[in-house]
């Protein structure tokens, strides 16, 4: 299991006001951000990313828009800074919300440029994006995945074509001369990742051979991984743990209490992230007809929940650290605790090759964040690297 | 359940009611909801033909259809397929937009155009929101804008069968496909409204909070000879909210054609 550290670079000083308004995203006016404080925080977060290189962790960056929960507005911009400050870490963009990007060729150019700059360290996530990203981008939620797949195909072709220019006359994108300069070091393209929470995503990712990642719910992850492995087998290949990724909050301490305390602070991110005005949570077309039927049947007051390992529903907005640990949202404690928890998780999931280590939620102090990264990098990550396919899954 | 007709390769479900001069009714984004009484009221004096738009009800939404232009040509083909002559072309809200796109292209099968609280044109400046952003407000707030009496329009989705819920979800997605960006309008349509060469009647709910009566006046100003009248105690869907008053005004208009 490899470990990729990430942080959403939150603007947590505005969270209380956002929570009071019932929305931290889209319609939360930016008068609530102090730009100088934002700059101070961004520098601090980037220092935390840079530390990962020293302790042997890889790095992941994501982006969101119009929100106090994440100040990263552009993955390539953040990775450009981080690429210059790191030497060994692989750099995962997870990712570019390509169905919301008007110009896929620009995405290919940026990824190629980063791959050159970093000496071939880029891994490239092409993601659907969260439902509340539709409004800031004003992208059409209808036929979103058709647009996603056209952008996906165009980006991969732009990155891997060396004898261009080529033309592209598609349903959503039209170009007459695609010929990106520079082209990426990693050929034909940097490794491609997708994200999702459904069996369908697992199947789609398997058909492309991409890495598939999901977050914060072991209960949802397992069926998706199983669907991936099954589809790969049908197509004549074995999907190993290196095709599966999982994002979770991790708090490590010299004592169990310290680890739990750090995890609890980081988990405030998960408690705030879903707080967004209702109309932006389910734009028409974003979710499947089946999912919408279930929501209409449940009525307007039903909250979306995840369930723990015993099927007990947990509300992310109010959950305790223990409840989060029961849903595999959080791993926490001493280095030994966390290793054992992840080892058990790896076995339950049938082998997960990538842990996306959510190690900064906003309120965690710089000292705590650095110590969390250092402990993970030196005490846990080396042991996780030895962790492969769990014995039980290998025997199946 | 209506009957199915295949037009230009598209399988359309069509509701029909009544006898008399044909009236092609194009429904709003909220759907046709044929169980509501307005369809039969209109049917008292007209042969009402009300297709479910592609993606709504039992009508298919093929991949190649995705703009209101497509819907305009599709319904011109439908009018030809049904052999409509001297018909009334009517549309409500999103359906009004489609009707206007039809009328700027070809009115040869129609004797009159009736638009009820239509969407579809841009009137104000870049910072003016001519059409309320129905997708940025909670459902309850939408209902307050769209109905004079929101209680009349409430639908308890927790009590509907899954097939109807799937229809609602499909229709909502289809409305996004056709109208998300630019939001519920065609920036060029206003400049072509002068081409409409049949008597045109605008009906407006006096308490419409989605598109105001001022917006209606802009429509009236662009269509040669158009007239406009309002319906009290009605919001954005006067045919649902005041079916008797709506049917009476439609009748008064079509009698003169």
């Amino acid at each position: 299991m490899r470990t990729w550290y990430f942080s959403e670079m939150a603007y947590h000083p505005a969270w209380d006001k956002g929570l009071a308004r019932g929305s931290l995203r889209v319609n939360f006016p930016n008068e609530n951000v102090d730009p100088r404080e934002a700059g101070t925080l961004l520098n601090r977060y980037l220092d935390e990313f840079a530390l990962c290189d020293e302790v042997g962790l890889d790095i992941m960056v994501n982006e969101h828009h119009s929100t106090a929960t994440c100040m990263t507005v552009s993955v390539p911009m953040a990775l450009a800074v981080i690429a210059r400050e790191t030497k060994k870490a692989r750099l995962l963009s997870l990712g570019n919300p390509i169905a919301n990007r008007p110009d896929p060729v620009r995405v290919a150019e940026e990824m190629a440029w980063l791959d050159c700059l970093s000496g071939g360290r880029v891994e490239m996530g092409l993601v659907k994006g969260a439902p509340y990203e539709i409004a800031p981008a004003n992208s059409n939620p209808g036929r979103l995945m058709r647009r996603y797949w056209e952008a996906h195909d165009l980006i991969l072709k732009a990155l891997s074509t060396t004898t261009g220019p080529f033309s592209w006359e598609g349903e959503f994108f039209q170009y007459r001369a695609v010929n990106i300069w520079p082209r990426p070091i990693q050929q034909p393209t940097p490794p491609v990742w997708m994200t999702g929470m459904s069996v369908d995503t697992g199947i789609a990712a398997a058909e492309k051979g991409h890495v598939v990642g999901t977050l914060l719910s072991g209960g949802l992850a397992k069926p998706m991984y199983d669907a991936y492995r099954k589809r790969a087998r049908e197509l004549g290949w074995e999907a190993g743990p290196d095709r599966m990724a999982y994002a979770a909050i991790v708090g490590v301490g010299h004592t169990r209490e310290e680890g739990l305390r750090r995890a609890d602070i980081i988990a405030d991110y998960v408690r705030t992230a879903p707080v967004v005005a209702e109309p932006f949570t389910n734009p028409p077309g974003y979710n499947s007809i089946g999912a919408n039927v279930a929501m209409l049947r449940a009525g307007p007051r039903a909250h979306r929940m995840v369930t723990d390992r015993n099927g007990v529903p947990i509300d992310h907005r109010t959950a305790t650290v223990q409840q989060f640990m029961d849903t595999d949202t959080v791993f926490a404690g001493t280095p030994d605790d966390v290793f054992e928890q992840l080892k058990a998780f790896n076995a339950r999931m049938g082998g997960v090759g990538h842990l996306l280590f959510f190690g900064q939620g906003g309120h965690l102090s710089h000292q705590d964040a650095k110590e969390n990264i250092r402990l993970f990098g030196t005490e846990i990550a080396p042991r996780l690297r030895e962790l492969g396919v769990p014995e039980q899954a290998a025997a199946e | 359940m209506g009957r199915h007709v295949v037009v230009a390769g598209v399988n359309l479900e069509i509701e029909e009611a009544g006898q008399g001069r044909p009236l092609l009714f194009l429904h709003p984004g909220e759907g046709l909801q044929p169980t509501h009484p307005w369809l039969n009221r209109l049917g008292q004096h007209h042969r009402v033909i009300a297709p479910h738009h592609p993606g709504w009800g039992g009508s298919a939404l093929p991949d190649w259809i995705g703009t209101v232009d497509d819907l305009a040509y599709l319904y011109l083909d439908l009018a030809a397929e049904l052999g409509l002559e001297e018909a009334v072309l009517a549309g409500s809200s999103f359906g009004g937009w489609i009707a206007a796109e039809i009328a700027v292209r070809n009115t040869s099968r129609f004797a009159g155009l009736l638009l009820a609280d239509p969407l579809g044109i841009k009137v104000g400046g870049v910072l003016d929101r001519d059409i309320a952003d129905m997708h940025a407000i909670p459902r309850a707030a939408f209902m307050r804008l769209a109905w004079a009496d929101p209680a009349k329009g409430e639908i308890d989705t927790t009590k509907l069968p899954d097939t109807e819920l799937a229809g609602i979800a499909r229709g909502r997605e289809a409305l996004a496909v056709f109208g998300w960006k630019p939001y519920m309008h065609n920036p060029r349509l206003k400049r072509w409204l002068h081409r409409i060469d049949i008597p045109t009647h605008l009906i407006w709910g006096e308490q419409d909070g989605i598109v105001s009566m001022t917006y209606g006046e802009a429509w009236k100003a662009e269509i040669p000879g158009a007239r406009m009248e309002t319906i009290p105690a009605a919001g954005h869907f006067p045919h649902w909210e005041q079916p008797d008053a709506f049917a009476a005004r439609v009748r008064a208009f079509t009698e003169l054609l």
Side-chain angles (χ1 to χ4, degrees):
Chain A
M1 192 186 286
R2 299 180 73 108
T3 307
W4 308 71
Y5 170 83
F6 91 105
S7 140
E8 299 221 340
M9 306 206 238
Y11 189 79
H12 53 282
W15 285 2
D16 284 345
K17 282 183 186 161
L19 291 171
R21 296 171 63 107
S23 188
L24 286 146
R25 302 174 183 272
V26 187
N27 60 353
F28 181 34
N30 67 10
E31 67 183 2
N32 292 294
V33 58
D34 173 349
R36 292 196 182 280
E37 188 163 8
T40 303
L41 284 169
L42 286 172
N43 279 286
R44 200 185 95 189
Y45 295 142
L46 287 166
D47 288 345
E48 291 164 7
F49 277 110
L51 174 63
C52 295
D53 200 43
E54 291 175 30
V55 301
L57 295 177
D58 295 312
I59 289 169
M60 171 203 147
V61 171
N62 71 343
E63 71 177 54
H64 286 287
H65 299 267
S66 195
T67 175
T69 65
C70 175
M71 289 193 287
T72 322
V73 295
S74 157
V75 166
M77 211 157 68
L79 281 184
V81 176
I82 294 167
R84 289 277 293 172
E85 296 194 347
T86 57
K87 294 285 179 259
K88 303 183 296 287
R90 290 196 63 79
L91 308 173
L92 170 60
S93 156
L94 199 64
N96 272 298
I98 57 171
N100 296 346
R101 283 277 182 279
D103 185 353
V105 172
R106 171 74 178 238
V107 173
E109 285 178 329
E110 289 168 348
M111 289 297 112
W113 187 91
L114 271 174
D115 205 42
C116 294
L117 179 74
S118 66
R121 289 186 284 139
V122 166
E123 308 227 354
M124 181 175 69
L126 304 177
V127 305
K128 178 183 179 183
Y132 35 73
E133 300 300 317
I134 294 291
N138 196 20
S139 72
N140 196 329
R143 297 178 167 169
L144 187 76
M145 286 314 284
R146 274 197 0 225
R147 201 165 61 247
Y148 171 92
W149 283 114
E150 189 180 325
H152 166 279
D153 293 351
L154 172 53
I155 289 165
L156 296 196
K157 182 160 176 62
L159 285 165
S160 58
T161 298
T162 56
T163 54
F166 67 86
S167 64
W168 186 277
E169 293 181 349
E171 180 182 2
F172 299 99
F173 306 107
Q174 298 82 29
Y175 295 85
R176 286 156 64 196
V178 183
N179 180 27
I180 63 166
W181 282 72
R183 63 192 174 90
I185 291 173
Q186 300 177 89
Q187 284 292 323
T189 74
V192 183
W193 295 50
M194 290 176 63
T195 53
M197 296 178 114
S198 69
V199 163
D200 287 348
T201 305
I203 292 168
E207 287 174 353
K208 302 285 179 190
H210 298 338
V211 181
V212 71
T214 192
L215 73 167
L216 303 176
S217 167
L220 291 172
K222 181 69 163 49
M224 190 177 82
Y225 299 149
D226 287 344
Y228 190 117
R229 285 184 281 250
K230 178 165 176 284
R231 185 69 187 129
R233 219 165 283 137
E234 287 166 5
L235 295 169
W237 61 287
E238 277 302 312
D242 72 325
R243 297 297 93 189
M244 317 296 161
Y246 186 76
I249 285 168
V250 184
V252 202
H254 293 287
T255 64
R256 185 165 295 167
E257 292 66 35
E258 191 177 47
L260 287 165
R261 179 181 64 80
R262 285 180 181 147
D264 193 27
I265 297 171
I266 303 166
D268 274 344
Y269 176 84
V270 188
R271 298 183 184 113
T272 52
V275 179
V276 53
E278 177 255 322
F280 306 113
T281 59
N282 183 30
Y286 181 90
N287 285 301
S288 68
I289 298 298
N292 274 292
V293 166
M295 280 184 252
L296 287 165
R297 199 192 303 121
R301 271 176 289 280
H303 294 316
R304 280 177 299 163
M305 304 241 190
V306 295
T307 52
D308 71 10
R309 286 195 284 281
N310 302 314
V312 178
I314 303 293
D315 187 336
H316 266 184
R317 291 173 299 184
T318 54
T320 63
V321 162
Q322 189 54 54
Q323 285 178 310
F324 278 136
M325 292 176 75
D326 292 341
T327 59
D328 301 316
T329 308
V330 164
F331 300 96
T334 64
D336 284 344
D337 290 340
V338 172
F339 174 73
E340 290 302 327
Q341 290 162 21
L342 286 167
K343 187 179 167 191
F345 176 74
N346 184 60
R348 277 203 305 284
M349 295 296 122
V352 177
H354 306 277
L355 173 71
L356 309 174
F357 160 30
F358 200 143
Q360 169 59 281
H363 282 297
L364 196 70
S365 76
H366 190 45
Q367 284 310 315
D368 272 325
K370 285 194 295 187
E371 194 55 24
N372 203 30
I373 290 167
R374 232 180 244 121
L375 273 174
F376 200 108
T378 54
E379 304 284 329
I380 305 173
R383 298 164 71 186
L384 289 178
R385 275 194 280 276
E386 306 300 314
L387 213 56
V389 182
E391 282 166 28
Q392 193 191 345
E396 273 172 9
Chain B
M1 291 287 282
R3 72 175 168 119
H4 284 258
V5 186
V6 177
V7 181
V10 183
N11 191 322
L12 287 177
E13 185 188 5
I14 291 178
E15 307 291 340
E16 287 163 298
Q19 300 291 325
R21 185 197 286 271
L23 187 150
L24 179 62
F25 185 91
L26 304 180
H27 66 72
E30 292 285 285
L32 192 48
Q33 315 244 357
T35 53
H36 286 265
W38 58 270
L39 186 63
N40 289 330
R41 307 284 163 88
L42 290 178
Q44 284 167 0
H45 298 284
H46 300 91
R47 173 191 166 205
V48 183
I49 301 139
H52 295 264
H53 305 323
W56 280 261
S59 293
L61 177 58
D63 285 353
W64 62 269
I65 283 195
T67 68
V68 175
D69 294 357
D70 293 326
L71 299 180
Y73 292 118
L74 182 70
Y75 289 137
L76 282 167
D77 278 5
L78 174 68
E81 175 78 23
L82 299 177
L84 301 187
E85 300 289 346
E86 293 290 307
V88 180
L89 175 60
S92 155
S93 181
F94 173 66
W97 175 11
I98 304 168
E101 295 276 6
I102 293 169
V104 300
R105 284 167 169 76
N106 183 346
T107 55
S108 60
R109 293 185 179 275
F110 303 105
L113 173 66
L114 190 133
L115 302 173
D117 304 74
L119 312 177
I121 63 171
K122 176 67 190 167
V123 173
V126 289
L127 293 177
D128 298 319
R129 217 193 274 284
D130 296 325
I131 300 165
D133 190 342
M134 299 171 271
H135 291 92
I137 53 178
R139 185 76 190 165
F142 166 76
M143 294 302 288
R144 284 195 296 275
L145 290 180
W147 290 76
D149 178 6
K152 279 184 163 179
E154 283 300 347
I155 298 170
D156 184 355
T157 59
T158 64
K159 297 200 167 60
L160 292 179
D162 282 2
T163 48
E164 279 195 47
L165 296 179
I168 291 172
R170 285 180 71 239
R172 287 180 181 176
E173 177 167 356
L175 182 63
V177 167
F178 291 108
W180 195 266
K181 185 181 175 181
Y183 192 66
M184 301 298 159
H185 73 281
N186 168 0
R188 293 174 299 281
L189 177 59
K190 191 176 79 166
R191 298 302 294 255
W192 296 113
L193 292 178
H194 70 88
R195 289 175 49 86
I196 297 176
D197 56 1
I198 51 175
T200 300
H201 200 69
L202 291 151
I203 292 180
W204 224 270
E206 288 183 5
Q207 294 179 55
D208 186 353
I210 304 296
V211 277
S212 70
M213 286 200 283
T214 312
Y215 184 74
E217 293 292 340
W219 275 91
K220 180 169 172 273
E222 298 295 331
I223 302 175
R227 300 174 65 171
M228 177 170 168
E229 66 181 322
T230 62
I231 297 187
H236 187 58
F237 308 111
H239 64 292
W240 278 349
E241 195 158 11
Q242 298 296 343
D244 288 328
F246 183 79
R249 281 165 174 77
V250 172
R251 168 87 168 135
F253 170 59
T254 60
E255 268 185 334
L256 298 174
L257 296 176

